Amino acid sequence: MPGVPDVLLCDEEGDFHFVELKATGGKAVELRPHQVAWLSNHAHASVWVLVLKKKTKTLPQRVLLYPGSAAMDLKLAGMEVEPLFECEGDPDWETIFSLISPR
């Protein structure tokens, strides 16, 4: 189905979480219109955008987590949007998963 995020997680409580995965080398986050629509229409649920900002010659890679409600802003303003969480280097999966499924 067009727009459905890349990853579907089921936590220990049986709750579902949807995560759209994106990678960028610049400032733009390339969300397609149907992805923005799906994320926006389901923003009341546990929907997320996880962005890998690729490393450069002078900066390490970063991993940023955004709620689905930020999809339109991400499409328009890209990496200028304030993430819910950000880490440099290797992803901090424990924190990322605790934010996605806070139980």
Side-chain angles (χ1 to χ4, degrees):
M1 178 181 213
V4 176
D6 299 308
V7 177
L8 171 62
L9 301 170
C10 182
D11 65 22
E12 294 171 351
E13 302 294 322
D15 294 328
F16 289 100
H17 312 275
F18 295 86
V19 183
E20 181 64 41
L21 304 175
K22 292 296 175 185
T24 185
K27 293 182 180 181
V29 177
E30 296 294 331
L31 288 166
R32 294 185 185 103
H34 58 274
Q35 292 172 320
V36 172
W38 198 98
L39 290 161
S40 298
N41 287 335
H42 296 87
H44 62 282
S46 183
V47 296
W48 306 90
V49 181
L50 188 65
V51 179
L52 170 68
K53 173 72 166 101
K54 298 174 186 176
K55 71 178 181 175
T56 67
K57 291 180 182 179
T58 58
L59 297 172
Q61 81 172 9
R62 297 181 312 171
V63 175
L64 304 97
L65 180 67
Y66 299 90
S69 60
M72 180 62 80
D73 292 335
L74 281 171
K75 175 69 176 166
L76 297 174
M79 300 301 294
E80 294 180 17
V81 177
E82 183 77 24
L84 176 67
F85 175 75
E86 177 179 355
C87 61
E88 287 187 354
D90 292 332
D92 178 356
W93 293 116
E94 186 173 333
T95 301
I96 292 168
F97 287 134
S98 72
L99 290 166
I100 289 172
S101 176
R103 296 178 192 211

